[in-house]
Amino acid sequence: MENFGSVAFILFILAIVFVVKTVNVVPQQHAWVVERLGKYHATLGPGLNIVIPFIDRVAYKHILKEIPLDVPPQVCITRDNTQLQVDGILYFQVTDPMRASYGSSNYIAAITQLAQTTLRSVIGKMELDKTFEERDHINTTIVNAIDESAANWGVKVLRYEIKDLTPPKEILHAMQAQITAEREKRALIAASEGRKQEQINIATGERAASIAKSEGEMQASINRAQGQAAAILAIATASAEAIRKTASAIREPGGSDAVNLKVAEQYVAAFGNLAKTNNSIIVPANLGDMSGMIASAMQVIKSQGGTAPHILGGK
């Protein structure tokens, strides 16, 4: 009975081992590669899977998630013979578990080495300044180069990112000095542009002021001319009106005699003033005209019943 119990216990243990070996539960986003008698048999997906113990064997287990791979830093030589230390990170994903198991003995090491060699090749074609400006170009070139080869390994390279670009200290100091010089240059240019704009603004303001002043003077001149023209017109109108009234008065009875009397009085008065203001004796050029004018004036006064005035200052 004891032997029977021992055999039963051994059979129970073997049954448990058989069940454990037969039933396999694969986690989500994982893939297991099964070999049967040393040959590839199947790829187990997530969930419950049955295999034959001692005949089938889970040879490889792969994670199907996106995996970040830190590429070790390396020194690259640029086109202008400058050393540059580059540090990057690579993101990849296993897409074919069977090829990832048998396509390469170590696809992670293969991807790492290929990323480093491709990076050195890309950096060697660029000058130092361009390496800082063309990071996206470097990343895209490395991804395309690796992805073409990694397809045979069952791996899909998603992207490559440069973490750091470190030039030598001497080059770094020179670059900082260049940046400082460029900033000072831009500051001087900005200051000169400001002064230039200031001069332009001042000149524009003076020009506008001169134009406004000249326009004001022109308008003032126009206003003065218009005022003088209006005054002359008013004087001419008044003179014309006076002449018309004088002519009308002359045409009335006795008007002609009144005019002759007025002219004679003014003539004698003017002659008297000239004689008073000068030591010399002034004699009219034609005394007959003067005596005739005085006789006419006296005749007019007599015809009106008046008395002859004392023409030459008589009292």
Side-chain angles (χ1 to χ4, degrees), residues 85-129:
Q85 184 173 348
V86 185
D87 186 12
I89 184 170
L90 184 69
Y91 296 86
F92 71 95
Q93 185 178 20
V94 176
T95 56
D96 190 340
M98 191 269 288
R99 288 192 176 186
S101 301
Y102 304 105
S104 175
S105 60
N106 189 340
Y107 63 86
I108 294 179
I111 292 174
T112 303
Q113 294 297 322
L114 186 57
Q116 289 182 320
T117 56
T118 305
L119 179 62
R120 286 195 295 269
S121 176
V122 174
I123 295 296
K125 298 177 182 178
M126 304 175 65
E127 296 181 354
L128 179 61
D129 294 338

Short mmCIF file of all heavy atoms in Angstrom, two decimals, residues 85-129:
data_model
loop_
_atom_site.label_atom_id
_atom_site.label_comp_id
_atom_site.label_asym_id
_atom_site.label_seq_id
_atom_site.Cartn_x
_atom_site.Cartn_y
_atom_site.Cartn_z
N GLN A 85 30.77 65.25 -30.05
CA GLN A 85 30.22 64.12 -29.31
C GLN A 85 28.70 64.15 -29.40
O GLN A 85 28.07 65.15 -29.05
CB GLN A 85 30.66 64.15 -27.84
CG GLN A 85 30.20 62.93 -27.05
CD GLN A 85 30.79 62.91 -25.65
OE1 GLN A 85 31.70 63.67 -25.33
NE2 GLN A 85 30.27 62.04 -24.81
N VAL A 86 28.13 63.02 -29.85
CA VAL A 86 26.70 62.94 -30.11
C VAL A 86 26.10 61.85 -29.22
O VAL A 86 26.62 60.73 -29.16
CB VAL A 86 26.40 62.64 -31.58
CG1 VAL A 86 24.90 62.68 -31.84
CG2 VAL A 86 27.12 63.64 -32.48
N ASP A 87 25.01 62.19 -28.57
CA ASP A 87 24.29 61.25 -27.72
C ASP A 87 22.84 61.23 -28.17
O ASP A 87 22.22 62.29 -28.33
CB ASP A 87 24.39 61.68 -26.25
CG ASP A 87 23.77 60.64 -25.31
OD1 ASP A 87 23.50 59.52 -25.77
OD2 ASP A 87 23.57 60.97 -24.12
N GLY A 88 22.30 60.01 -28.40
CA GLY A 88 20.94 59.91 -28.90
C GLY A 88 20.19 58.74 -28.31
O GLY A 88 20.74 57.92 -27.56
N ILE A 89 18.91 58.67 -28.65
CA ILE A 89 18.05 57.59 -28.19
C ILE A 89 17.19 57.12 -29.35
O ILE A 89 16.71 57.94 -30.15
CB ILE A 89 17.19 58.03 -26.99
CG1 ILE A 89 16.38 56.86 -26.44
CG2 ILE A 89 16.28 59.20 -27.36
CD1 ILE A 89 15.70 57.16 -25.12
N LEU A 90 17.02 55.79 -29.44
CA LEU A 90 16.31 55.17 -30.56
C LEU A 90 15.05 54.48 -30.04
O LEU A 90 15.08 53.82 -29.00
CB LEU A 90 17.22 54.15 -31.25
CG LEU A 90 16.69 53.45 -32.50
CD1 LEU A 90 16.58 54.45 -33.65
CD2 LEU A 90 17.60 52.30 -32.89
N TYR A 91 13.95 54.63 -30.78
CA TYR A 91 12.68 53.99 -30.41
C TYR A 91 12.34 52.96 -31.49
O TYR A 91 12.29 53.31 -32.68
CB TYR A 91 11.56 55.03 -30.30
CG TYR A 91 11.77 56.03 -29.19
CD1 TYR A 91 12.51 57.19 -29.42
CD2 TYR A 91 11.24 55.84 -27.93
CE1 TYR A 91 12.72 58.12 -28.41
CE2 TYR A 91 11.42 56.76 -26.91
CZ TYR A 91 12.17 57.89 -27.15
OH TYR A 91 12.38 58.80 -26.15
N PHE A 92 12.10 51.72 -31.08
CA PHE A 92 11.79 50.66 -32.03
C PHE A 92 10.69 49.76 -31.45
O PHE A 92 10.33 49.85 -30.27
CB PHE A 92 13.03 49.83 -32.37
CG PHE A 92 13.49 48.95 -31.25
CD1 PHE A 92 13.10 47.62 -31.17
CD2 PHE A 92 14.35 49.43 -30.26
CE1 PHE A 92 13.51 46.80 -30.14
CE2 PHE A 92 14.77 48.62 -29.24
CZ PHE A 92 14.36 47.31 -29.17
N GLN A 93 10.19 48.88 -32.32
CA GLN A 93 9.11 47.97 -31.93
C GLN A 93 9.25 46.67 -32.72
O GLN A 93 9.53 46.70 -33.93
CB GLN A 93 7.74 48.62 -32.21
CG GLN A 93 6.56 47.81 -31.72
CD GLN A 93 5.25 48.55 -31.98
OE1 GLN A 93 5.19 49.46 -32.82
NE2 GLN A 93 4.20 48.16 -31.29
N VAL A 94 9.06 45.54 -32.03
CA VAL A 94 9.12 44.23 -32.68
C VAL A 94 7.80 44.01 -33.42
O VAL A 94 6.73 44.02 -32.82
CB VAL A 94 9.37 43.11 -31.65
CG1 VAL A 94 9.32 41.75 -32.33
CG2 VAL A 94 10.70 43.30 -30.96
N THR A 95 7.88 43.82 -34.72
CA THR A 95 6.68 43.61 -35.53
C THR A 95 6.56 42.16 -36.02
O THR A 95 5.45 41.72 -36.35
CB THR A 95 6.72 44.55 -36.75
OG1 THR A 95 7.93 44.33 -37.48
CG2 THR A 95 6.66 46.01 -36.30
N ASP A 96 7.66 41.43 -36.10
CA ASP A 96 7.64 40.04 -36.55
C ASP A 96 8.46 39.21 -35.55
O ASP A 96 9.69 39.17 -35.64
CB ASP A 96 8.23 39.92 -37.95
CG ASP A 96 8.01 38.55 -38.56
OD1 ASP A 96 7.75 37.58 -37.80
OD2 ASP A 96 8.10 38.44 -39.80
N PRO A 97 7.80 38.55 -34.59
CA PRO A 97 8.54 37.80 -33.56
C PRO A 97 9.41 36.68 -34.15
O PRO A 97 10.50 36.41 -33.62
CB PRO A 97 7.44 37.23 -32.67
CG PRO A 97 6.27 38.15 -32.88
CD PRO A 97 6.36 38.57 -34.31
N MET A 98 8.96 36.02 -35.22
CA MET A 98 9.74 34.93 -35.80
C MET A 98 11.06 35.46 -36.37
O MET A 98 12.12 34.90 -36.11
CB MET A 98 8.93 34.24 -36.89
CG MET A 98 9.56 32.91 -37.35
SD MET A 98 10.69 33.10 -38.77
CE MET A 98 9.53 33.43 -40.06
N ARG A 99 11.03 36.59 -37.13
CA ARG A 99 12.25 37.17 -37.68
C ARG A 99 13.13 37.76 -36.57
O ARG A 99 14.36 37.71 -36.66
CB ARG A 99 11.92 38.25 -38.69
CG ARG A 99 11.36 37.71 -39.99
CD ARG A 99 11.31 38.80 -41.04
NE ARG A 99 10.88 38.29 -42.33
CZ ARG A 99 10.86 39.00 -43.45
NH1 ARG A 99 11.27 40.27 -43.42
NH2 ARG A 99 10.45 38.46 -44.58
N ALA A 100 12.48 38.33 -35.55
CA ALA A 100 13.27 38.86 -34.44
C ALA A 100 14.01 37.74 -33.70
O ALA A 100 15.07 37.98 -33.12
CB ALA A 100 12.36 39.60 -33.47
N SER A 101 13.49 36.51 -33.80
CA SER A 101 14.13 35.37 -33.12
C SER A 101 15.24 34.76 -33.95
O SER A 101 16.29 34.37 -33.41
CB SER A 101 13.08 34.30 -32.80
OG SER A 101 12.06 34.83 -31.97
N TYR A 102 15.05 34.71 -35.28
CA TYR A 102 15.99 33.99 -36.13
C TYR A 102 16.70 34.87 -37.15
O TYR A 102 17.63 34.41 -37.82
CB TYR A 102 15.25 32.85 -36.86
CG TYR A 102 14.54 31.92 -35.91
CD1 TYR A 102 13.15 31.98 -35.78
CD2 TYR A 102 15.24 30.99 -35.17
CE1 TYR A 102 12.49 31.13 -34.92
CE2 TYR A 102 14.58 30.13 -34.29
CZ TYR A 102 13.21 30.22 -34.17
OH TYR A 102 12.54 29.37 -33.29
N GLY A 103 16.27 36.14 -37.29
CA GLY A 103 16.90 37.01 -38.28
C GLY A 103 18.26 37.52 -37.84
O GLY A 103 19.12 37.81 -38.67
N SER A 104 18.46 37.66 -36.54
CA SER A 104 19.72 38.16 -36.02
C SER A 104 19.97 37.51 -34.66
O SER A 104 19.02 37.23 -33.91
CB SER A 104 19.70 39.68 -35.88
OG SER A 104 20.87 40.17 -35.27
N SER A 105 21.23 37.31 -34.38
CA SER A 105 21.54 36.71 -33.07
C SER A 105 21.24 37.68 -31.93
O SER A 105 20.89 37.26 -30.82
CB SER A 105 23.02 36.31 -33.03
OG SER A 105 23.84 37.46 -33.23
N ASN A 106 21.33 38.98 -32.20
CA ASN A 106 21.01 40.00 -31.19
C ASN A 106 20.60 41.27 -31.93
O ASN A 106 21.44 42.08 -32.33
CB ASN A 106 22.22 40.26 -30.29
CG ASN A 106 21.86 41.14 -29.10
OD1 ASN A 106 20.87 41.85 -29.10
ND2 ASN A 106 22.71 41.09 -28.08
N TYR A 107 19.30 41.39 -32.16
CA TYR A 107 18.84 42.52 -32.97
C TYR A 107 19.03 43.86 -32.24
O TYR A 107 19.18 44.90 -32.88
CB TYR A 107 17.38 42.33 -33.38
CG TYR A 107 16.39 42.28 -32.23
CD1 TYR A 107 15.85 43.44 -31.69
CD2 TYR A 107 15.99 41.06 -31.70
CE1 TYR A 107 14.94 43.40 -30.66
CE2 TYR A 107 15.08 41.00 -30.67
CZ TYR A 107 14.56 42.18 -30.14
OH TYR A 107 13.66 42.13 -29.12
N ILE A 108 19.06 43.86 -30.92
CA ILE A 108 19.27 45.11 -30.18
C ILE A 108 20.69 45.62 -30.42
O ILE A 108 20.90 46.81 -30.70
CB ILE A 108 18.99 44.90 -28.69
CG1 ILE A 108 17.52 44.60 -28.47
CG2 ILE A 108 19.41 46.15 -27.91
CD1 ILE A 108 17.14 44.37 -27.02
N ALA A 109 21.67 44.73 -30.34
CA ALA A 109 23.05 45.14 -30.60
C ALA A 109 23.22 45.55 -32.06
O ALA A 109 23.96 46.51 -32.36
CB ALA A 109 24.00 43.99 -30.26
N ALA A 110 22.54 44.84 -32.96
CA ALA A 110 22.64 45.19 -34.38
C ALA A 110 22.07 46.58 -34.64
O ALA A 110 22.66 47.38 -35.39
CB ALA A 110 21.92 44.14 -35.22
N ILE A 111 20.93 46.88 -34.03
CA ILE A 111 20.32 48.20 -34.22
C ILE A 111 21.22 49.28 -33.64
O ILE A 111 21.41 50.34 -34.24
CB ILE A 111 18.92 48.23 -33.56
CG1 ILE A 111 17.96 47.32 -34.32
CG2 ILE A 111 18.39 49.66 -33.53
CD1 ILE A 111 16.61 47.20 -33.67
N THR A 112 21.80 49.02 -32.48
CA THR A 112 22.67 50.01 -31.85
C THR A 112 23.89 50.32 -32.71
O THR A 112 24.23 51.49 -32.94
CB THR A 112 23.11 49.51 -30.48
OG1 THR A 112 21.96 49.23 -29.67
CG2 THR A 112 23.99 50.54 -29.78
N GLN A 113 24.55 49.28 -33.20
CA GLN A 113 25.73 49.48 -34.04
C GLN A 113 25.38 50.19 -35.34
O GLN A 113 26.11 51.08 -35.80
CB GLN A 113 26.40 48.13 -34.33
CG GLN A 113 26.99 47.45 -33.11
CD GLN A 113 28.12 48.26 -32.50
OE1 GLN A 113 28.91 48.89 -33.21
NE2 GLN A 113 28.20 48.24 -31.17
N LEU A 114 24.26 49.82 -35.93
CA LEU A 114 23.85 50.45 -37.19
C LEU A 114 23.51 51.92 -36.97
O LEU A 114 23.81 52.78 -37.81
CB LEU A 114 22.66 49.70 -37.79
CG LEU A 114 22.20 50.15 -39.18
CD1 LEU A 114 23.35 50.05 -40.18
CD2 LEU A 114 21.01 49.31 -39.64
N ALA A 115 22.89 52.24 -35.84
CA ALA A 115 22.57 53.63 -35.54
C ALA A 115 23.85 54.45 -35.38
O ALA A 115 23.93 55.60 -35.86
CB ALA A 115 21.73 53.71 -34.27
N GLN A 116 24.86 53.88 -34.72
CA GLN A 116 26.11 54.62 -34.53
C GLN A 116 26.85 54.85 -35.85
O GLN A 116 27.33 55.96 -36.11
CB GLN A 116 27.00 53.86 -33.54
CG GLN A 116 26.49 53.89 -32.11
CD GLN A 116 27.42 53.18 -31.16
OE1 GLN A 116 27.97 52.12 -31.48
NE2 GLN A 116 27.60 53.73 -29.97
N THR A 117 26.94 53.82 -36.67
CA THR A 117 27.65 53.98 -37.95
C THR A 117 26.92 54.95 -38.88
O THR A 117 27.54 55.77 -39.57
CB THR A 117 27.82 52.63 -38.63
OG1 THR A 117 26.52 52.00 -38.79
CG2 THR A 117 28.70 51.71 -37.80
N THR A 118 25.59 54.85 -38.89
CA THR A 118 24.82 55.77 -39.74
C THR A 118 24.96 57.21 -39.25
O THR A 118 25.07 58.14 -40.05
CB THR A 118 23.34 55.37 -39.75
OG1 THR A 118 23.21 54.01 -40.15
CG2 THR A 118 22.54 56.25 -40.70
N LEU A 119 24.97 57.39 -37.93
CA LEU A 119 25.13 58.73 -37.38
C LEU A 119 26.48 59.32 -37.75
O LEU A 119 26.57 60.50 -38.13
CB LEU A 119 24.97 58.67 -35.85
CG LEU A 119 25.13 60.00 -35.11
CD1 LEU A 119 24.08 61.00 -35.55
CD2 LEU A 119 25.06 59.77 -33.61
N ARG A 120 27.54 58.53 -37.68
CA ARG A 120 28.86 59.03 -38.06
C ARG A 120 28.89 59.43 -39.54
O ARG A 120 29.51 60.42 -39.92
CB ARG A 120 29.93 57.98 -37.78
CG ARG A 120 30.26 57.81 -36.30
CD ARG A 120 31.57 57.04 -36.11
NE ARG A 120 31.45 55.66 -36.60
CZ ARG A 120 31.07 54.64 -35.84
NH1 ARG A 120 30.78 54.84 -34.56
NH2 ARG A 120 31.01 53.42 -36.34
N SER A 121 28.21 58.64 -40.37
CA SER A 121 28.19 58.95 -41.80
C SER A 121 27.44 60.24 -42.08
O SER A 121 27.87 61.07 -42.89
CB SER A 121 27.54 57.79 -42.56
OG SER A 121 27.42 58.09 -43.94
N VAL A 122 26.31 60.43 -41.40
CA VAL A 122 25.51 61.64 -41.63
C VAL A 122 26.25 62.87 -41.12
O VAL A 122 26.30 63.91 -41.81
CB VAL A 122 24.14 61.51 -40.95
CG1 VAL A 122 23.35 62.82 -41.06
CG2 VAL A 122 23.34 60.38 -41.58
N ILE A 123 26.83 62.80 -39.92
CA ILE A 123 27.55 63.94 -39.37
C ILE A 123 28.76 64.28 -40.22
O ILE A 123 29.12 65.46 -40.39
CB ILE A 123 27.97 63.64 -37.92
CG1 ILE A 123 26.74 63.49 -37.02
CG2 ILE A 123 28.88 64.74 -37.37
CD1 ILE A 123 25.90 64.72 -36.88
N GLY A 124 29.42 63.28 -40.81
CA GLY A 124 30.60 63.52 -41.63
C GLY A 124 30.31 64.30 -42.89
O GLY A 124 31.23 64.86 -43.50
N LYS A 125 29.05 64.35 -43.32
CA LYS A 125 28.67 65.08 -44.52
C LYS A 125 28.23 66.52 -44.23
O LYS A 125 27.88 67.25 -45.16
CB LYS A 125 27.54 64.36 -45.24
CG LYS A 125 27.92 62.97 -45.72
CD LYS A 125 26.72 62.29 -46.35
CE LYS A 125 27.06 60.87 -46.80
NZ LYS A 125 25.89 60.17 -47.39
N MET A 126 28.23 66.91 -42.96
CA MET A 126 27.71 68.22 -42.57
C MET A 126 28.79 69.02 -41.86
O MET A 126 29.67 68.46 -41.21
CB MET A 126 26.48 68.06 -41.66
CG MET A 126 25.37 67.23 -42.27
SD MET A 126 24.01 66.94 -41.11
CE MET A 126 23.42 68.61 -40.92
N GLU A 127 28.70 70.34 -41.99
CA GLU A 127 29.58 71.22 -41.23
C GLU A 127 29.04 71.38 -39.82
O GLU A 127 27.88 71.08 -39.53
CB GLU A 127 29.70 72.58 -41.92
CG GLU A 127 30.36 72.50 -43.29
CD GLU A 127 30.49 73.86 -43.95
OE1 GLU A 127 29.96 74.84 -43.37
OE2 GLU A 127 31.11 73.95 -45.02
N LEU A 128 29.91 71.90 -38.94
CA LEU A 128 29.56 71.97 -37.52
C LEU A 128 28.30 72.80 -37.27
O LEU A 128 27.41 72.38 -36.52
CB LEU A 128 30.73 72.55 -36.72
CG LEU A 128 30.51 72.70 -35.21
CD1 LEU A 128 30.24 71.35 -34.57
CD2 LEU A 128 31.70 73.39 -34.56
N ASP A 129 28.23 73.96 -37.91
CA ASP A 129 27.07 74.83 -37.68
C ASP A 129 25.78 74.18 -38.14
O ASP A 129 24.73 74.36 -37.52
CB ASP A 129 27.26 76.17 -38.39
CG ASP A 129 28.41 76.98 -37.79
OD1 ASP A 129 28.75 76.70 -36.62
OD2 ASP A 129 28.97 77.84 -38.48
#
